[in-house]
Amino acid sequence: MKFTRRNFLATSVGASCLATTRYVSAAPERSAGQRLFYRRPATRWEEALPIGNGRLGAMVFGRVAQERLQLNEETLWSGAPYIPDNPDALQALPEVRRLIDAGKYAEATSLASAKVMAKPLQQMSYGTLGDVLLDFKGTSTPQEYERSLDLETARSVVEYVSKGSRHCREAFASAPHQVIVLRLESRGAPLEFLLRYRGPRKAKYTSPAYQGVATTLVESAAVDWLFTETDIVLGGVTSAFDAPGCVLLTGSNEAGPDTPAGLRFALRLKLVCDGSISESGTGLQVRGAQNATLLIAGATSYVNYRDVSADPVAIVRARTDAAAVIPYATLKRKHVGEYRRYFDSASIVLQGSGKSPAHELPTDERIVAASGADDPGLAALYFQYARYLMISSSRPGCQPANLQGIWNEGTNPPWGSKYTININTEMNYWPADAAGLGECVEPLIRLVEDLSVTGARTAKTMYGARGWVAHHNTDLWRATAPIDGPFWGLWPCGGAWLCNSLWDHYDYSRDAGVLERIYPLMQGASQFFLDTLVEDPGGRGLVTSPSLSPENAHPFGSSLCAGPAMDRQIIRDLFAHTAEAARNLGRDSEFAETLVKTASRIAGDTIGKQGQLQEWLDDWDGAAPEPHHRHVSHLYAVYPSAQINVRDTPALVEAAKVSLRQRGDLATGWGTAWRLCLWARMGDAEHAHSVLKSLLGPQRTYPNMFDAHPPFQIDGNFGGAAGIMEMLVQSWGGEIRLLPALPAAWSAGEVRGIRLRGALRLDMRWSKNELRHFELNGTPGTSARLRYGARTFQAVLNAQGRHRADAQADGLTSR
Ligand code: FUC
């Protein structure tokens, strides 16, 4: 068959990479919402395209002379099981509290610094698994170059013509087979390349038995299912960490007798091709191939936060061996099928009134154009991209998405690429349930289950309290003690906020199994605050102390204080949800009653002299040194909570708006996304839209559509998606709001499969800025209260569990 442009483009996903690359659809606006594409290879990491199966990730550069896949495995962190709790805290905390009550904030900070912080002061960090490089012989400047990421099938594709030969590379991260697959095809001149590994750590090319001998291994064509095969296996150990005063839980040590053990890791690269493969000394040389398939597996010795006994070499060998006997077309079909189970659960189309040619622009150019012109389709693409990133970095059974999901280029990433739980990890999960990806929250539940154990130790050792506590960060080892310094770390509400996120997850699904699982976690988090809340000496009610309003300095040279608004709001939610959970489960009625009573004694939200919602118990906002601070912690009550809302507390909403205007629209990526969610929640469509436009522009979005804090942090992607959804539909306070913040620029559109609180699913269509049709699905007989504009109405799902309504001249009519 002669390979013309036409027959390349016209085929659907099939066996060959070359025949399947272009997405062709009758509805270009829709297809543009499902694909990122570029006319140039990636030169820097933020241009490369991410693939991932929740556990294993790669950034694909799509270079012509040297392809680079930068790899990650989600458990490849520094450190080993450790206990960072500081027993000196128990004695020091009452004095820190006393100093805060006396207004001696600097002294309180010094004492906390000396006696209350974790040992070590920093937590561990996430790191790269290294690079796979393919050096191609005899390349020339390519023609017809395109690289793309198809969100519908989770495949990265690079295609070009060089010296008259057409080349295609397709990469995907398979969850069913736990390998990354890179397929290379050439029509014309055969493929000739050198495959090698480059890593930042001391790694050993090793024999299959993993004898620890530094040898390069080439397996002689052992199992030959296609033509020939060979591979590289390497193993290593993460660098030991120096943690004076820190208690280590395990002793096994490959780094040397005097240094704490790190994790062992392994990587296997297995090639299958129809040409020849030989060992070159630095890697594997492929010649004379038309097709080659590279299978990549990575693993570490991590089993869980206290067990590092897994055998990573055995794991990577088993995974690649299993994948190698499966034809490439089958690997691809199974991958696409498994991925689509998640991705197809929801969809979105956003359109303006005029014809927008923006979807024809390569994605990097489209992002640059976004800060100027309206591009509703780009917002839809951003939403779907966030869903793609969630599925690729947080599949059930895996670790939760960290600050960079699973994608991280180095070994010393910003903020350790950890779990920052004073906003960032929570924000990661804001869109998951509404976007039909509730299953992807499962890793977060397991994280909190672990924290409830390590955090119980912290609560007991440091506070002498029952229950459990986590401060503003955690890591692979589930450390829960306060880190970095009192200014950032001495904040006891990280675990409580995570519990509220889990409650939200339950509230969407109303799954009794989830409630069973999360109730003990919520109960333990509540118990900690029952034991540690104190009376404000000014008589305003119960407060946390010591604490801080995340990372924001108050006017007295510190962040340490008693009872910041965010803590009071988070704990009110925690107590209310825990009491409701106990009632739903028919348990612990006395405990639930105590929670309700205690919640009513927590100091309330107040409006300050500038008309703002007070960030602190005292009216310090006007004198705070950073009026445009990135965190908007005291607005937690507006979003993600709904304690303050347009229906029930209009005066507090007005105060929240004053605060938000004072903070300004310019912030980090996640700060911008939070502002977007807040304006949408408060019903200001145009303000939300203008904030969204700045998020989508090149200041806050890299060419590969990763969020720019800067640097890259994935929370902005997820928070942005939550904000887009919040503009279109909201469910809080027992009501569903349809198109509550629809900007003029999104005159027409459609969403399908959006989930709402109360186990409901929504499909909705609008045009000329008016709702045209919606359909609710759920359990038959469910009654839902809806609001569209000023009108409210009640919908009862019929025997098929459905309620449909169409727009008529006089409003919406059910049918
Ligand atoms: C918090 C934020 C920073 C950053 C870090 C990971 O400390 O204040 O902006 O996002 O987390």
Side-chain angles (χ1 to χ4, degrees):
M1 173 164 124
K2 192 167 174 289
F3 281 87
T4 62
R5 193 83 186 151
R6 183 164 253 286
N7 61 30
F8 274 5
L9 301 190
T11 346
S12 63
V13 173
S16 168
C17 155
L18 268 165
T20 65
T21 54
R22 299 296 171 105
Y23 186 92
V24 175
S25 162
E29 295 266 353
R30 186 183 290 267
S31 69
Q34 317 275 11
R35 203 173 85 102
L36 281 62
F37 71 99
Y38 304 82
R39 301 261 180 257
R40 287 187 301 254
T43 50
R44 57 190 179 115
W45 193 82
E46 292 81 3
E47 293 171 0
L49 294 171
I51 55 173
N53 64 10
R55 178 170 283 118
L56 207 53
M59 296 294 285
V60 184
F61 282 67
R63 292 179 187 165
V64 172
Q66 183 189 67
E67 179 58 291
R68 176 182 175 203
L69 264 66
Q70 182 270 313
L71 304 174
N72 286 107
E73 201 281 344
E74 63 168 0
T75 60
L76 187 51
W77 287 61
S78 61
Y82 71 108
I83 299 177
D85 304 327
N86 184 346
D88 294 345
L90 190 57
Q91 239 198 332
L93 276 168
E95 179 60 9
V96 174
R97 220 168 268 140
R98 197 192 61 73
L99 290 166
I100 287 172
D101 286 348
K104 296 182 175 171
Y105 301 104
E107 286 96 319
T109 307
S110 315
L111 180 59
S113 207
K115 299 282 184 195
V116 182
M117 304 312 290
K119 290 182 175 182
L121 190 57
Q122 256 83 44
Q123 289 173 355
M124 302 303 134
S125 42
Y126 181 55
T128 180
L129 183 57
D131 291 342
V132 170
L133 301 173
L134 293 88
D135 297 315
F136 291 87
K137 255 271 171 59
T139 50
S140 64
T141 307
Q143 287 109 45
E144 298 183 40
Y145 179 93
E146 187 188 273
R147 70 189 167 98
S148 60
L149 184 65
D150 179 6
L151 306 183
E152 281 190 306
T153 56
R155 292 173 308 131
S156 136
V157 178
V158 182
E159 198 189 349
Y160 59 90
V161 173
S162 172
K163 293 186 180 164
S165 302
R166 185 164 289 274
H167 293 266
C168 178
R169 291 178 219 149
E170 179 176 65
F172 55 88
S174 161
H177 294 99
Q178 288 298 320
V179 284
I180 286 175
V181 181
L182 173 66
R183 171 77 169 182
L184 302 102
E185 294 182 8
S186 165
R187 291 295 171 268
L191 290 163
E192 190 169 336
F193 64 87
L194 176 70
L195 170 73
R196 47 196 187 96
Y197 172 77
R198 176 176 74 185
R201 295 183 190 77
K202 223 169 75 188
K204 307 167 203 171
Y205 286 86
T206 182
S207 74
Y210 190 51
Q211 289 151 350
V213 185
T215 55
T216 305
L217 169 82
V218 179
E219 265 186 315
S220 52
V223 191
D224 193 344
W225 69 274
L226 252 183
F227 301 98
T228 54
E229 69 150 77
T230 188
D231 69 351
I232 299 173
V233 184
L234 60 94
V237 57
T238 55
S239 52
F241 74 107
D242 183 23
C246 157
V247 183
L248 287 161
L249 289 183
T250 56
S252 111
N253 182 10
E254 295 216 355
D258 302 322
T259 40
L263 276 169
R264 285 177 297 127
F265 65 90
L267 175 71
R268 190 185 198 197
L269 312 172
K270 190 173 177 88
L271 260 175
V272 179
C273 81
D274 58 359
S276 73
I277 305 173
S278 54
E279 187 197 353
S280 81
T282 48
L284 299 175
Q285 180 67 51
V286 172
R287 287 196 185 86
Q290 297 301 142
N291 306 309
T293 305
L294 174 63
L295 303 168
I296 305 170
T300 76
S301 51
Y302 186 85
V303 178
N304 60 47
Y305 70 94
R306 52 189 159 190
D307 179 353
V308 290
S309 65
D311 179 350
V313 176
I315 294 170
V316 298
R317 289 184 65 79
R319 285 181 182 155
T320 38
D321 284 344
V325 294
I326 297 166
Y328 160 72
T330 309
L331 288 174
K332 178 154 111 180
R333 199 182 63 243
K334 294 234 162 111
H335 155 70
V336 171
E338 190 269 355
Y339 170 79
R340 293 197 84 132
R341 230 174 35 76
Y342 295 95
F343 189 75
D344 290 352
S345 64
S347 67
I348 182 169
V349 178
L350 296 176
Q351 287 170 334
S353 50
K355 253 200 114 36
S356 153
H359 63 268
E360 286 162 15
L361 288 176
T363 309
D364 44 354
E365 294 173 31
R366 195 174 181 184
I367 290 164
V368 172
S371 30
D374 288 334
D375 183 357
L378 184 63
L381 180 64
Y382 196 89
F383 180 76
Q384 288 293 47
Y385 188 51
R387 296 184 68 245
Y388 167 82
L389 294 174
M390 174 61 51
I391 302 164
S392 306
S393 66
S394 187
R395 275 214 181 63
C398 298
Q399 297 294 315
N402 65 41
L403 284 172
Q404 299 187 182
I406 47 170
W407 300 279
N408 161 42
E409 189 178 19
T411 50
N412 186 20
W415 295 285
S417 194
K418 302 192 293 291
Y419 299 99
T420 304
I421 53 177
N422 65 11
I423 173 65
N424 315 88
T425 301
E426 288 87 353
M427 181 177 280
N428 280 359
Y429 289 90
W430 283 355
D433 281 289
L437 298 176
E439 283 173 88
C440 295
V441 184
E442 194 274 343
L444 190 70
I445 303 181
R446 262 180 308 106
L447 174 91
V448 182
E449 284 172 341
D450 291 349
L451 295 178
S452 75
V453 180
T454 54
R457 202 177 50 208
T458 306
K460 189 164 175 229
T461 311
M462 297 185 59
Y463 291 84
R466 293 171 296 170
W468 67 276
V469 61
H471 293 82
H472 93 302
N473 255 281
T474 190
D475 59 10
L476 184 72
W477 311 107
R478 310 317 191 214
T480 45
I483 61 159
D484 294 348
F487 184 94
W488 304 273
L490 199 43
W491 182 69
C493 291
W497 192 352
L498 287 171
C499 283
N500 292 344
S501 301
L502 296 188
W503 171 263
D504 287 343
H505 171 57
Y506 161 72
D507 206 21
Y508 274 90
S509 70
R510 300 280 167 92
D511 178 331
V514 168
L515 189 64
E516 278 284 347
R517 226 175 134 182
I518 68 172
Y519 173 66
L521 313 176
M522 297 162 68
Q523 192 183 26
S526 299
Q527 187 72 64
F528 173 80
F529 291 105
L530 287 180
D531 283 8
T532 57
L533 285 174
V534 291
E535 282 291 347
D536 160 47
R540 288 165 289 194
L542 292 175
V543 294
T544 47
S545 181
S547 190
L548 50 93
S549 190
E551 306 190 27
N552 200 9
H554 55 60
F556 307 101
S558 172
S559 67
L560 288 195
C561 65
M566 181 185 232
D567 290 15
R568 292 178 270 123
Q569 297 166 358
I570 286 178
I571 297 166
R572 268 201 295 273
D573 269 353
L574 175 70
F575 283 3
H577 301 331
T578 309
E580 192 176 337
R583 275 195 298 276
N584 290 354
L585 291 167
R587 278 184 216 158
D588 304 323
S589 56
E590 248 176 68
F591 180 72
E593 213 175 291
T594 308
L595 291 178
V596 173
K597 277 201 191 125
T598 312
S600 69
R601 292 171 53 212
I602 294 174
D605 285 310
T606 43
I607 299 175
K609 47 186 177 298
Q610 300 169 312
Q612 90 286 8
L613 190 68
Q614 275 181 214
E615 180 158 0
W616 294 277
L617 213 46
D618 291 302
D619 191 357
W620 293 338
D621 303 44
E626 271 197 78
H628 302 128
H629 195 257
R630 58 197 180 282
H631 289 257
V632 282
S633 304
H634 49 319
L635 305 185
Y636 162 91
V638 178
Y639 188 100
S641 179
Q643 284 173 34
I644 295 178
N645 66 66
V646 290
R647 183 190 63 195
D648 308 321
T649 58
L652 288 170
V653 162
E654 286 315 307
K657 285 184 182 167
V658 172
S659 292
L660 197 49
R661 277 194 209 101
Q662 286 173 342
R663 278 295 215 268
D665 292 344
L666 292 177
T668 59
W670 63 260
T672 307
W674 199 352
R675 285 155 174 79
L676 158 66
C677 292
L678 285 161
W679 284 118
R681 177 59 68 86
M682 294 192 286
D684 191 330
E686 297 310 325
H687 203 144
H689 187 234
S690 95
V691 173
L692 175 64
K693 274 170 66 175
S694 75
L695 184 67
L696 298 181
Q699 303 295 320
R700 293 285 165 267
T701 297
Y702 287 114
N704 64 2
M705 286 193 91
F706 270 170
D707 166 70
H709 177 294
F712 164 52
Q713 220 171 267
I714 207 162
D715 40 22
N717 287 100
F718 293 132
I724 290 164
M725 200 33 53
E726 199 66 19
M727 292 165 78
L728 298 175
V729 56
Q730 299 176 7
S731 60
W732 50 263
E735 273 184 16
I736 297 160
R737 292 176 176 242
L738 303 176
L739 302 177
L742 185 70
W746 296 357
S747 54
E750 183 180 19
V751 289
R752 287 179 177 277
I754 299 308
R755 305 316 199 261
L756 307 167
R757 285 169 198 274
L760 291 164
R761 227 182 62 216
L762 172 80
D763 299 339
M764 170 175 77
R765 203 173 59 235
W766 68 98
S767 60
K768 296 191 177 150
N769 299 84
E770 293 285 338
L771 183 62
R772 299 293 159 195
H773 172 83
F774 75 86
E775 176 173 328
L776 278 180
N777 282 281
T779 310
T782 304
S783 176
R785 189 177 151 83
L786 291 116
R787 192 183 285 264
Y788 172 58
R791 297 184 53 217
T792 57
F793 40 100
Q794 204 73 26
V796 179
L797 303 196
N798 64 18
Q800 284 73 49
R802 188 179 306 141
H803 176 90
R804 287 184 178 141
D806 288 317
Q808 310 288 338
D810 57 346
L812 285 165
T813 308
S814 300
R815 65 178 167 86

